[in-house]
Amino acid sequence: MAVRRTKRAQAARRRSRRMALVSNDLTDPQWFAILEAWGGCAYCRAVEPALQKDCVLPISRGGRYTLDNVVPACRSCNASKCNAEVTGWLRRKRLDEAAFLVRHAEIRGQLLLVHGPLGG
């Protein structure tokens, strides 16, 4: 079997290796609580049936899939943000950086009270 050498395949292999190295402890109940708390895309507020998990601090920059680092994102925002630093990306997209940061802190605090940092 030939090894796929496309850029997409190479990127997928790199992502798999990165994901295997980090500890991700976001549970399904926590993810559903995050979805309910945000009520749509955390960045543009779009309401879509299939929101994606997006790390505020990207995995490539040391982030993890945890309750305090994951927000729901529409496909467009998640793809656009990629591994960018969130505040710089929000400014470039001309989205309301301050509103996101305040809302993220509020929701994160509420969720951590209910679910704790390691689940519950």
Side-chain angles (χ1 to χ4, degrees):
M1 183 168 155
V3 177
R4 292 184 58 194
R5 303 237 184 252
T6 65
K7 288 186 179 189
R8 177 177 282 172
Q10 289 172 345
R13 283 192 298 276
R14 278 194 308 271
R15 179 172 171 73
S16 290
R17 285 192 296 268
R18 271 196 319 269
M19 292 298 290
L21 294 174
V22 295
S23 167
N24 299 303
D25 56 14
L26 185 70
T27 64
D28 285 341
Q30 288 174 334
W31 171 239
F32 295 126
I34 290 169
L35 285 172
E36 185 177 329
W38 282 96
C41 177
Y43 306 119
C44 70
R45 302 213 177 183
V47 179
E48 292 186 5
L51 292 170
Q52 302 173 351
K53 296 174 187 166
D54 183 55
C55 291
V56 175
L57 177 63
I59 291 171
S60 63
R61 295 175 184 243
R64 302 180 318 150
Y65 282 108
T66 60
L67 182 64
D68 60 340
N69 191 44
V70 171
V71 297
C74 66
R75 184 177 182 169
S76 175
C77 285
N78 198 11
S80 172
K81 182 177 165 279
C82 193
N83 68 343
E85 191 273 326
V86 71
T87 54
W89 175 79
L90 287 166
R91 281 185 225 127
R92 281 193 309 278
K93 294 295 280 185
R94 295 196 166 120
L95 295 170
D96 193 345
E97 175 188 359
F100 167 78
L101 293 173
V102 168
R103 192 155 185 241
H104 181 252
E106 291 170 350
I107 290 173
R108 185 177 148 230
Q110 293 168 357
L111 292 172
L112 288 172
L113 281 175
V114 173
H115 294 276
L118 297 176

